[in-house]
Amino acid sequence: VPIDEQELRQRLRAVAAQASPPRFSVESLVSRIRRRHARIMAAIAGSFLAVAAIAVAVPIGLSAPSPPPRVSASAPGNLTALAQVARSVSCRATKRQAVGVPVPARFVAVAAIQCIPSDQVVPGRGLWQFELRQVADHGLARLTAALRRPSATPPRSLLCAAYGMSVPLFALLGSDGRMIYPHVPTDECGHPQEQVLAALGALHWVTVSAQRGRQIETQAVIESGCPAGWKDMIGFLSGLARDQSPRPSPGGRVFSPRPSWLRVCVYRDRSGPLDTVFVGGGRISGTAETALLAGIAAGRDSAACARAHTMFAVVVPPQIGAMPAYVEIGGCQRVLRPDNRIGQASPAALVIINQARR
Amino acid sequence: MDSWRQTLAELATYRLASLKRHAFLLCGDDAQAEDLVQDALVRAFGRPLRAPRPGAAEAYVREIMVNLFIDGARRQSRWRRAVPLLRSAEAADDMAEQVVTRDALLTALSDLSPRQRACVVLRYYHDLPVAQVAAALGVGEGSVKRYLSEAMTRLAARLSPAENG
């Protein structure tokens, strides 16, 4: 059946509209562009020898490797019928059947059905966990043969690596209409056998339905770019013994070099410093960033504080792997600096943090 | 402010979301789309003597995105799973249906070669005539027609069961 071009246009627009808003800033790109400018200008100013070397090296460097082998897709003809069967499988049942049964001798599998969790962004409504029900109808003979292999008996003395390995729980639909939840044979160490994993990995799973589960991140968390539950390190470290708690800082620049922008994430403690809830957050740059950096740069004579706080902010620079600073909201308005020392935030810094969280 | 910074700032202010949508259709993945937009902007504005003109910057960046996507996809050795869509009566929940529907088109698109996919996005999302698609990809019009024809056949095979199922 030829596809209707107008309908394709509409579908493309509908899917494109689900792309989340860009999360990067122009400021973060400018430094990359400047570095690129510098590299190019240096290359232009180089000697003829360098140019000649580049002229030789570039064609070699840019020669693309051969395209990857394509995986042929299974014909979707009989999948419609299988999808109906797959929907009748209870995902809870597949979980209950974790032990599984041996594959019967005359059993011929015509489809495998599995339920897998998948985190998906729903535009405007946050990140949700979905349970995807998937079906595969090719390559099942190899899987069935692998499942019929006996499990290995562990010898008396064997050192095994203590890694965990989970195989998605799945059901097999037989040509006679029977549905079984097969036992997965194990190796000497109790791990799923390699042949089963290889056969499962070679299956082409087709998603036939998605069932919504719990929400993982709210839309506010996604838009702010802040993680959902950052721990309250100031509160946590304050509860440690005196010799383990951070020492006071004489003050000075908090981040070096100065970041191009900052992300400010505000949280509230719930049952304790390790159980927090996201309040709000956002990015700041320019004069607000300058003022915030100045407002959290002061030092303190003592790391201790007699007043408790229930909220805190995490000030995160954009560099990957950079340590953040924590700012106490309430309490003594202390700052846990990236060097693990305690500084002091000014009232002006708290005002900026309060604005950034909205 | 440098002229290129002015152009970049204007592009970012008014057209960044549009570029992201374009990248999302090409990649089918939000994080990859984010990277693709940034890489294309750096590539476009990273030439000190050849910064894009203000009026033509968006088209130029979009063209770079297509080429980066095709080059990147060619180098990637990841296994692209071909997953057709079968809609579920169970997925009556609006969010679940949205996820399944998006999964349908994106997985159908992922079954196309990078050039076929780029052709579909330029021709049917941006409504560019075949000649402009050919110019953007640096191939002949005949090639574009062939890519489109092959892509439509594949898409029809992938998406048609959705209506029936």
Side-chain angles (χ1 to χ4, degrees):
Chain A
V1 181
I3 191 163
D4 180 59
E5 292 184 2
Q6 200 54 37
E7 191 193 334
L8 177 61
R9 284 189 175 92
Q10 287 170 1
R11 283 193 180 197
L12 286 167
R13 285 188 191 116
V15 170
Q18 293 183 32
S20 68
R23 294 183 289 275
F24 60 89
S25 71
V26 175
E27 294 84 30
S28 64
L29 288 180
V30 167
S31 60
R32 280 180 68 185
I33 292 170
R34 286 215 166 113
R35 282 198 301 274
R36 194 175 164 89
H37 282 179
R39 277 202 307 273
I40 291 174
M41 293 309 286
I44 291 171
S47 67
F48 282 111
L49 185 61
V51 172
I54 291 167
V56 173
V58 164
I60 296 170
L62 293 183
S63 61
S66 56
R70 288 192 60 75
V71 178
S72 62
S74 61
N78 61 338
L79 284 172
T80 308
L82 288 176
Q84 302 294 340
V85 179
R87 283 178 205 130
S88 68
V89 173
S90 162
C91 287
R92 286 181 186 163
T94 61
K95 286 170 190 162
R96 277 201 303 272
Q97 301 292 334
V99 177
V101 298
V103 178
R106 292 171 184 269
F107 185 85
V108 178
V110 293
I113 298 139
Q114 71 173 2
C115 300
I116 58 163
S118 171
D119 297 344
Q120 305 263 354
V121 172
V122 178
R125 299 172 74 173
L127 180 68
W128 291 77
Q129 189 176 64
F130 282 80
E131 193 156 52
L132 303 183
R133 195 165 297 174
Q134 299 184 318
V135 64
D137 66 341
H138 280 59
L140 297 167
R142 184 181 168 196
L143 175 63
T144 313
L147 289 169
R148 286 203 173 102
R149 290 169 57 89
S151 287
T153 309
R156 286 196 171 179
S157 60
L158 177 67
L159 289 174
C160 290
Y163 61 88
M165 182 180 284
S166 71
V167 176
L169 298 169
F170 60 95
L172 288 179
L173 174 67
S175 56
D176 55 359
R178 268 190 300 170
M179 187 84 74
I180 64 165
Y181 299 93
H183 167 71
V184 175
T186 51
D187 62 16
E188 288 85 353
C189 287
H191 299 136
Q193 287 187 3
E194 208 169 283
Q195 290 85 348
V196 177
L197 297 176
L200 278 171
L203 294 180
H204 293 195
W205 292 103
V206 176
T207 304
V208 294
S209 73
Q211 195 160 17
R212 180 161 57 95
R214 67 183 181 88
Q215 188 176 39
I216 297 167
E217 287 185 348
T218 63
Q219 186 65 21
V221 166
I222 292 175
E223 286 173 1
S224 69
C226 296
W230 211 308
K231 309 302 179 206
D232 177 3
M233 292 311 293
I234 297 186
F236 175 72
L237 293 173
S238 299
L240 296 178
R242 182 179 289 266
D243 59 339
Q244 292 175 311
S245 58
R247 288 178 294 161
S249 166
R253 185 182 277 195
V254 176
F255 299 112
S256 183
R258 184 197 149 124
S260 53
W261 52 272
L262 292 170
R263 193 180 303 284
V264 177
C265 305
V266 177
Y267 301 85
R268 177 180 289 113
D269 289 353
R270 282 195 291 204
S271 59
L274 301 183
D275 176 24
T276 62
V277 60
F278 176 69
V279 174
R283 291 166 50 144
I284 60 168
S285 57
T287 53
E289 182 199 1
T290 305
L292 178 59
L293 287 172
I296 60 175
R300 268 178 78 88
D301 294 331
S302 162
C305 173
R307 292 193 296 277
H309 68 272
T310 54
M311 288 178 67
F312 66 100
V314 187
V315 181
V316 193
Q319 289 87 0
I320 294 169
M323 294 291 287
Y326 295 77
V327 181
E328 204 174 26
I329 300 175
C332 300
Q333 299 181 359
R334 293 172 298 172
V335 177
L336 177 62
R337 300 161 61 96
D339 60 6
N340 209 32
R341 289 182 169 228
I342 295 290
Q344 179 66 47
S346 69
L350 270 295
V351 171
I352 293 166
I353 288 171
N354 201 35
Q355 288 167 347
R357 89 181 209 206
R358 287 174 188 154
Chain B
M1 188 187 283
D2 301 328
S3 63
W4 66 266
R5 281 196 68 176
Q6 182 73 33
T7 308
L8 176 62
E10 284 174 11
L11 192 64
T13 304
Y14 300 110
R15 303 302 301 164
L16 205 53
S18 169
L19 291 171
K20 174 74 184 290
R21 289 193 290 270
H22 175 69
F24 183 61
L25 280 180
L26 288 173
C27 303
D29 179 273
D30 207 77
Q32 284 181 28
E34 190 93 352
D35 290 344
L36 183 61
V37 175
Q38 294 183 66
D39 290 346
L41 287 169
V42 170
R43 186 74 67 95
F45 290 90
R47 297 176 182 180
L49 306 177
R50 285 185 56 194
R53 287 177 287 110
E58 185 184 356
Y60 183 55
V61 172
R62 201 180 287 149
E63 191 175 318
I64 291 177
M65 280 162 69
V66 168
N67 289 318
L68 283 176
F69 165 71
I70 290 173
D71 289 346
R74 194 184 290 147
R75 291 194 192 96
Q76 279 173 358
S77 59
R78 68 182 175 176
W79 180 31
R80 287 202 300 270
R81 296 185 0 166
V83 186
L85 173 72
L86 294 160
R87 287 178 68 169
S88 164
E90 178 195 318
D93 179 287
D94 57 340
M95 290 160 68
E97 188 165 339
Q98 202 175 24
V99 167
V100 174
T101 307
R102 175 175 58 192
D103 192 46
L105 188 63
L106 291 178
T107 49
L109 286 173
S110 74
D111 189 34
L112 305 180
S113 74
R115 282 186 190 278
Q116 288 171 345
R117 186 167 180 158
C119 283
V120 167
V121 173
L122 292 172
R123 179 77 185 94
Y124 296 111
Y125 177 64
H126 292 292
D127 283 329
L128 294 185
V130 169
Q132 283 188 32
V133 176
L137 292 177
V139 298
E141 289 186 35
S143 298
V144 170
K145 287 175 184 168
R146 181 165 53 83
Y147 287 137
L148 284 172
S149 169
E150 290 166 354
M152 295 302 268
T153 305
R154 276 175 176 268
L155 288 176
R158 287 290 171 217
L159 296 173
S160 293
E163 280 87 43
N164 304 328

